[in-house]
């Protein structure tokens, strides 16, 4: 098979074509990451043999979702695209029931917290990708290792939207995702601890994503046309690694993908290299044909993930709700200022303060009320609507988030 070499203009054209595939929003997906703990003592380090036996049994399950594992042993379920919110929830819930039953036989359990609160886990995956990723991220501090080995999230995947302007147009949805994203961080912040100590952040996970490296986790310029802005961001971000068939992957210093295209690397880059480079970028909203909203902490409880999924779907898929949310959220752009998410003041406030921040609290109140009005129009079940209403009453109305339920003293982390 011929290798598809790239020119700089060819790479730009590809990025504009593949990252925002427009059309009527018709499908929705979710990716759920979970920490895996001993059912009796979540602080216990799992042995390799115990983990492998449990994960081997999981791999044999007939799941609709894709099952994968993260470098620290976190479990991830990635749904198929679903035609409705109800179809998605039913499918993923069935998969989670099967996974929990299998883990229970090994006396293990899924834990919904955004960041491992007790200790930094050993890396259990030793693929060249993760070796190279750790080498690269270690240049910028400890946030990379903590992210790789101990973070967990709820990621909502949405169609990019119509080509035409309007509430469901791709430009409006791109803007909405970055404004609503800060509110989602604040409302669902659920990671106040790391290594047994309070970090001072409601979402330690989000704070770590912001500090990975100088550019890899940043949103592009939101004032520009989305395709052009994202294309520039991709090409001007440093290459994390250059793959090879044998031996360790090369981890260059200061080589952007644009620089590689201009002859700066050890060999010419290919289309496959560009595709791989895209998987090593971690902005809060990542366009991959559809939009990946990556900013939500894993949630407590067996079904806690349903609430952020339902709220996000309602505010994006219902045109009236999308318009109401956008108008309510637009003033947040002034607080965000000129810095990119997640390093601007709005996103920092969300990760640190949750809904105790008055501006985010007010915006969240509007968004949840709007979502509750829209969910029946999307065919959401009474149980889903009730779960969103209960979350709103427990947290949003009171200016709180799940992290505020976590203990305030290190000793209280003892089960």
């Amino acid at each position: 098979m011929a290798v598809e070499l790239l020119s700089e203009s060819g790479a730009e054209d590809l990025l504009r074509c593949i990252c925002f595939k427009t059309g009527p929003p018709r499908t929705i997906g979710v990716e759920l990451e979970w920490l895996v703990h001993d059912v009796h003592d979540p602080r216990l380090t799992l042995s390799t043999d115990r983990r492998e036996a449990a994960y081997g049994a999981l791999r044999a399950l007939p799941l609709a979702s894709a099952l994968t594992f993260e470098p620290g042993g976190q479990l991830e379920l990635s749904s198929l695209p679903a035609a409705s919110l109800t179809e998605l929830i039913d499918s993923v819930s069935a998969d989670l029931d099967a996974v929990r039953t299998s883990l229970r036989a090994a006396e293990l359990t899924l834990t919904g917290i955004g960041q491992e609160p007790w200790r930094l886990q050993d890396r259990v995956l030793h693929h060249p990708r993760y070796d190279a990723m750790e080498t690269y991220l270690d240049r910028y501090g400890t946030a990379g290792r903590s992210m790789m080995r101990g973070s967990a999230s709820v990621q909502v995947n949405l169609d990019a939207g119509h080509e035409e302007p309007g509430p469901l147009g791709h430009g409006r949805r791109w803007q909405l995702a970055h404004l609503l994203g800060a509110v989602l961080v604040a409302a669902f912040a659920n990671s106040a601890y790391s290594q047994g100590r309070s970090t001072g952040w409601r979402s330690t996970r989000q704070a770590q994503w912001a500090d990975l490296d100088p550019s890899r986790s940043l949103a592009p310029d939101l004032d520009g046309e989305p395709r052009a802005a994202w294309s520039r961001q991709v090409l001007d971000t440093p290459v994390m690694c250059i793959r090879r068939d044998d031996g360790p992957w090369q981890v260059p210093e200061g080589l952007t993908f644009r620089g590689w295209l201009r002859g700066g690397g050890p060999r010419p880059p290919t289309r496959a290299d560009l595709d791989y480079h895209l998987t090593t970028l971690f902005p809060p909203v990542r366009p991959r044909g559809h939009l990946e909203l990556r900013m939500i902490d894993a949630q407590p409880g067996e079904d806690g993930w349903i609430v952020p999924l339902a709220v996000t779907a309602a505010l994006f898929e219902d045109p009236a709700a999308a318009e109401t949310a956008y108008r309510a959220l637009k003033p947040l752009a002034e607080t965000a200022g000129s810095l990119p998410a997640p390093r601007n003041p709005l996103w920092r406030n969300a990760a640190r303060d949750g809904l105790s921040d008055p501006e985010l609290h007010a915006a969240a109140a509007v968004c949840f009320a709007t979502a509750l009005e829209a969910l029946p129009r999307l065919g959401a079940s009474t149980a889903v609507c009730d779960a969103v209403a209960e979350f709103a009453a427990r947290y949003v109305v009171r200016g709180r988030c799940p992290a505020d339920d976590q203990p305030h003293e290190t000793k209280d982390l003892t089960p």
Side-chain angles (χ1 to χ4, degrees), residues 305-393:
W305 59 276
I306 293 175
V307 175
L309 170 63
V311 170
T312 306
L315 297 179
F316 273 84
E317 304 309 294
D318 183 86
E323 184 66 17
T324 299
Y326 181 74
R327 292 180 181 275
L329 293 168
K330 196 171 181 180
L332 298 180
E334 184 174 345
T335 300
S338 61
L339 292 175
R343 295 209 183 123
N344 63 47
L346 178 67
W347 282 69
R348 288 285 190 182
N349 292 348
R352 184 184 60 244
D353 302 328
L355 292 186
S356 68
D357 178 273
E359 187 178 32
L360 289 162
H361 180 203
V366 174
C367 287
F368 272 75
T370 302
L372 279 166
E373 291 179 1
L375 281 168
R377 297 195 292 267
L378 296 181
S381 68
T382 300
V384 169
C385 294
D386 287 348
V388 173
E390 181 182 348
F391 186 98

Side-chain angles (χ1 to χ4, degrees), residues 96-270:
L96 280 169
D97 287 345
V99 167
R100 288 193 174 99
T101 298
S102 181
L103 287 176
R104 198 175 300 123
E107 297 191 294
L108 298 175
T109 188
L110 299 178
T111 303
I113 303 177
Q115 181 65 38
E116 171 61 56
W118 287 282
R119 65 172 66 187
L120 183 64
Q121 299 295 306
D122 293 334
R123 183 156 61 91
V124 301
L125 298 183
H126 296 283
H127 186 276
R129 169 184 172 90
Y130 298 117
D131 295 344
M133 182 181 292
E134 192 163 86
T135 298
Y136 176 90
L137 293 176
D138 279 351
R139 294 171 180 168
Y140 305 101
T142 61
R145 287 193 177 212
S146 294
M147 175 276 293
M148 290 174 66
R149 302 183 187 192
S151 66
S153 68
V154 175
Q155 177 177 301
V156 181
N157 299 327
L158 304 158
D159 286 334
H162 291 282
E163 188 67 27
E164 300 79 12
L168 300 185
H170 77 283
R172 175 68 67 82
R173 285 162 77 87
W174 182 241
Q175 294 284 339
L176 176 62
H178 287 88
L179 294 173
L180 178 62
V183 175
L184 297 176
V185 170
F188 297 107
N190 187 38
S191 51
Y193 277 79
S194 179
Q195 300 191 54
R197 294 180 174 83
S198 174
T199 64
W201 297 84
R202 258 58 168 217
S203 179
T204 300
R205 172 186 164 275
Q206 183 57 51
Q208 290 180 162
W209 278 111
D211 290 339
L212 281 188
D213 80 350
S215 61
R216 189 163 303 278
S217 61
L218 300 186
D221 178 12
L222 299 181
D223 291 332
E225 193 279 323
R227 290 185 177 93
W230 178 243
S231 176
R232 287 193 300 271
Q233 180 85 350
V234 171
L235 297 186
D236 291 336
T237 298
V239 173
M240 177 177 282
C241 54
I242 297 177
R243 298 171 299 164
R244 49 187 296 185
D245 294 332
D246 57 336
W249 293 0
Q250 184 176 345
V251 185
E253 290 198 47
L255 176 67
T256 66
F257 203 91
R258 193 184 303 278
W260 192 5
L261 288 165
R262 293 177 177 178
R267 58 171 175 78
T270 66

Side-chain angles (χ1 to χ4, degrees), residues 45 47 91 108 112 168 299 308 313 329 404:
T45 299
S47 70
S91 174
L108 298 175
L168 300 185
Q299 294 297 288
L329 293 168
D404 293 319

Side-chain angles (χ1 to χ4, degrees), residues 42-67:
R43 300 164 302 173
L44 186 66
T45 299
L46 304 181
S47 70
T48 300
D49 289 346
R50 183 182 182 191
R51 189 188 299 275
E52 282 304 308
Y55 288 3
L58 290 175
R59 293 185 183 100
L61 294 175
L63 304 175
S65 305
L67 172 73

